[in-house]
Amino acid sequence: MSGLSTRHVVLGLLVERPGYGYDLQQRIDARLGFLGLSESAVYKILERLEADGWIEETGARRIGATRRGAPRVMYRATSLGRERFRAWIAAPCERAVLRDELQAKLNVAEPDDLPELLAGAEAQARACLAELATLSRPALASVAEPEVPWRDAATMMVDDFRVRSLQTLVDWLDAICELMEERIRRASRSAPSVPR
Amino acid sequence: MTPLLELRAVSRSYWRGLHEMRVLDDVSLEVHAGEMVGIYGQRGAGKTTLLRIAAGFESPDCGTVSFAGADLSRCSRRQLARLHREQIGWVERDGPQSGDLPMRTYVALPLYRRHGPVEAQRRAVAALARVGADEAAELPWESLSDTARALVAIAHALVREPRLLLVDDPTAGLGILDRERVVGLLRSAAQDARLAVVMAVPDMPAMLQAHEVRALSRGRLLAPSDREARGAVIRFPGSQRSA
């Protein structure tokens, strides 16, 4: 996993409150589903965090058993872990690069592919609208209200990023479609054969 | 149920010299009472033309526009004027022609003919209160903030208790907090007063308030793709729904 530090994410969840492997994996899935962390990956991270002294077992054993039949081990962050977590929060953030399949296709497509690329770009714009329609209404203003739980406020801000990313994507698709259309038009006007 | 507003295969071109600019290309749209449709598009995408045609201010080159089942192209000037006075609210961002008019009077103007000045002003004050712009009642347009102007413009359209509200870029120049307030107001107008609202905006966060979303791109009106449709997939951080 490049860029985003998954161990700091797991650590952060344990700073929030103690937890066990399956519970942590569920919390990650709900909030940071894009990480695609499996339960076993979480267990590996927990082992490393414990070895580094960032987290420790609480000693409490959750009633019930994991699928493997072993008792659930509860972890909490140590004071060193809390220190490392705060340092990570304060550190500069890496910016993710959007990976877009259409960009890859543009890079390798041939001039004859223009009509398909156009259709693909339009389909992508329509998918952006569909994605927009699944997002809930904003209550972004409520982020400024101290009474609104911080966790909810944070989710709203992350959702706002998604909306703005969609806007950027739609604007880009719109621009390249216009240019590709114009290219097709000029090519058909100026020469009997499509210039390469 | 017949839609309140229906555009069917509407096209519109403008001529710039010998060059034909197709602003709207085969645009179809249905809007029902109680529903707010958001149309996203960048500057020059044709949003204003679309709204003007929906209002009957402008005619399409081809295609039809129906309001409550009636073809607008068959309406007389007088009938259209009456529709604009009573049933179609156009949110006008330019304000009154005369600068020193208090907003109470400006908002009352569309009602003078129907209700007389006293009742018109009473309703205007109520409309200003409803959008949360009471303080603007005695002030002239010039002294209002951008937010107050946006609210007064909505009151000016709503005061006639229209069935359809057409809004062109209602949040231009507003910050996040005021933008949510203004767009939220439009949504509740649709929901609570059972209005049909068509709002055109160049910023996507404002679109989240809409019940239906469309995008104008190169003169064509795009609808969201079927969630099950193949061909385009967007994966976003945290979006399991879109896979």
Side-chain angles (χ1 to χ4, degrees), chain A residues 53-121:
Chain A
W54 294 11
I55 62 170
E56 63 194 2
E57 288 183 29
T58 62
R61 302 254 153 169
R62 258 295 169 89
I63 300 164
T66 62
R67 262 174 267 151
R68 281 175 232 101
R72 283 165 175 170
V73 183
M74 291 287 283
Y75 292 98
R76 67 176 163 226
T78 62
S79 55
L80 175 65
R82 281 169 198 278
E83 217 172 86
R84 289 294 150 91
F85 174 69
R86 296 288 158 226
W88 176 67
I89 289 287
C93 298
E94 267 190 50
R95 204 172 59 84
V97 178
L98 264 179
R99 276 176 44 185
D100 185 282
E101 196 174 13
L102 184 61
Q103 289 173 23
K105 288 181 182 175
L106 282 172
N107 276 320
V108 293
E110 307 259 272
D112 290 346
D113 296 324
L114 262 175
E116 281 72 33
L117 291 172
L118 257 174

Side-chain angles (χ1 to χ4, degrees), chain B residues 69-90:
Chain B
D71 186 343
L72 284 187
S73 69
R74 288 164 194 256
C75 290
S76 66
R77 273 171 163 253
R78 177 184 283 228
Q79 284 172 319
L80 270 179
R82 186 171 179 154
L83 275 182
H84 293 144
R85 232 170 23 241
E86 297 178 0
Q87 304 208 31
I88 300 178
W90 176 271

Side-chain angles (χ1 to χ4, degrees), chain B residues 118-145:
Chain B
V118 177
E119 175 63 9
Q121 298 240 356
R122 193 190 66 76
R123 289 183 185 224
V125 170
L128 285 167
R130 208 158 52 224
V131 300
D134 336 43
E135 336 81 76
E138 304 303 328
L139 298 173
W141 183 261
E142 268 72 52
S143 67
L144 299 181
S145 68

Side-chain angles (χ1 to χ4, degrees), chain B residues 212-228:
Chain B
E212 289 277 332
V213 294
R214 298 284 184 277
L216 258 181
S217 164
R218 297 161 295 131
R220 292 191 300 130
L221 195 61
L222 301 182
S225 54
D226 206 324
R227 302 296 295 165
E228 274 74 55

Side-chain angles (χ1 to χ4, degrees), chain B residues 50-174:
Chain B
L50 176 63
L51 289 179
R52 286 181 56 81
I53 286 176
F57 291 144
E58 215 173 292
S59 302
D61 297 335
C62 56
T64 55
V65 182
S66 315
F67 178 78
D71 186 343
L72 284 187
S73 69
R74 288 164 194 256
C75 290
S76 66
R77 273 171 163 253
R78 177 184 283 228
Q79 284 172 319
L80 270 179
R82 186 171 179 154
L83 275 182
H84 293 144
R85 232 170 23 241
E86 297 178 0
Q87 304 208 31
I88 300 178
W90 176 271
V91 177
E92 186 73 67
R93 285 295 297 270
D94 297 336
Q97 306 284 323
S98 149
D100 46 2
L101 217 57
M103 289 304 103
R104 171 171 49 81
T105 309
Y106 169 59
V107 171
L109 287 176
L111 297 185
Y112 266 49
R113 200 159 156 175
R114 237 194 303 172
H115 299 290
V118 177
E119 175 63 9
Q121 298 240 356
R122 193 190 66 76
R123 289 183 185 224
V125 170
L128 285 167
R130 208 158 52 224
V131 300
D134 336 43
E135 336 81 76
E138 304 303 328
L139 298 173
W141 183 261
E142 268 72 52
S143 67
L144 299 181
S145 68
D146 282 348
T147 308
R149 285 180 180 184
L151 295 172
V152 167
I154 292 170
H156 182 256
L158 282 180
V159 75
R160 58 202 95 196
E161 292 171 15
R163 297 168 73 191
L164 170 67
L165 196 65
L166 300 164
V167 201
D168 195 3
D169 200 0
T171 59
L174 303 189

Side-chain angles (χ1 to χ4, degrees), chain A residues 29-34 98 118 120 122-142 144 159-167 169-172 174-175 177-178 181, chain B residues 19 40-42 45 176-177 179-180 184 187 191 202-211 213-218 220 222-227 229-242:
Chain A
D29 227 32
R31 267 184 243 172
L32 300 127
F34 67 96
L98 264 179
L118 257 174
E122 187 178 304
Q124 191 80 340
R126 280 160 41 83
C128 285
L129 289 180
E131 169 77 17
L132 184 71
T134 67
L135 292 172
S136 53
R137 285 201 287 138
L140 208 55
S142 62
D159 274 355
D160 188 53
F161 174 79
R162 288 169 64 185
V163 177
R164 286 165 201 260
S165 307
L166 286 172
Q167 173 166 346
L169 192 50
V170 168
D171 289 352
W172 175 67
D174 200 34
C177 282
E178 189 176 338
E181 260 185 0
Chain B
H19 191 55
Y40 174 78
Q42 298 179 71
I176 291 176
L177 294 173
R179 183 186 66 206
E180 269 198 22
R187 183 184 168 101
Q191 243 162 244
D203 58 331
M204 227 168 239
M207 295 281 287
L208 286 181
Q209 298 273 2
H211 299 100
V213 294
R214 298 284 184 277
L216 258 181
S217 164
R218 297 161 295 131
R220 292 191 300 130
L222 301 182
S225 54
D226 206 324
R227 302 296 295 165
R230 295 174 56 213
V233 179
I234 299 182
R235 286 177 205 284
F236 257 101
S239 75
Q240 292 104 332
R241 287 160 296 194
S242 62

